[in-house]
Amino acid sequence: MSDKPSAPATERNREAILEVLADELRDHTAVLEIGSGTGQHAVYFADHLRNLTWQTSDRKQNHVGIEAWIESANVANVRRPLELDVEAPPKLDASYDAVFSANTAHIMSMHAVECMFALVGQLLPAAGKFCLYGPFNRDGEFTSESNETFDASLRSQDPSMGIRNLEDLESLAETAGMQRSSLHAMPANNFIVVWRRADSL
Ligand SMILES: C[S@@+](CC[C@H](N)C(=O)[O-])C[C@H]1O[C@@H](n2cnc3c(N)ncnc32)[C@H](O)[C@@H]1O
């Protein structure tokens, strides 16, 4: 247990996220997760969403931790991590009909966020969905004081990080051929935004 990395936030937010994914992805079969982090979300969601194969991915430095969570979870439908940096993605197979990513858009540079949307737009088939969880600004405004404080702390560590405007993400999605199909307000001033291929709506 102690050799596995731990992100306590995943234990606080996973039930609310699961509820949304269970509905949004009820007819889907294969998810690619971008930026799996510790892998805690992956094993939890795979365990509770047996209709899905859950493919983890992240940059190489996170793979040992993700592997450790997968090994200890003993969940058949979660897959060992792919090495995936959205700024230099490998060739991915075309079998995914959903992409999930949590708490990545404010950690990635804006250029990386652009790359993520372009990648997802290329990858998803017509009925595919992109579910992105995290804090986002609305109309260029923070949705809470705690998000404003969090944003300042991110930018002081690295000016390329920061909470993104939902409108900017909408524009990236549109460029990538996707349109928003739902917006779920989540606990602690977060959202899950769901985009679908525009030609499927
Ligand atoms: C705050 S962590 C979130 C991890 C996990 N999804 C969660 O909710 O706990 C941000 C994740 O984004 C990943 N990340 C940052 N830049 C990335 C990039 N260019 N390509 C892929 N993943 C990236 C990091 O490696 C890290 O796992």
Side-chain angles (χ1 to χ4, degrees), residues 10 35-37 41 58-59 62 84-87 102-104 107-108 112:
T10 60
S36 297
H41 270 161
D58 210 316
R59 296 178 296 181
N62 288 334
L84 173 55
D85 182 324
V86 292
E87 292 187 272
N103 288 319
T104 46
I107 300 295
M108 293 177 180

Side-chain angles (χ1 to χ4, degrees), residues 13 17 103 106 132-136 143-144 147 150 163 183-193:
N13 60 32
I17 298 175
N103 288 319
H106 58 272
L132 182 64
Y133 170 87
F136 305 106
T143 61
S144 67
N147 277 1
F150 180 46
I163 295 181
L183 178 64
H184 302 267
M186 304 296 287
N189 306 302
N190 290 296
F191 292 97
I192 292 179
V193 197

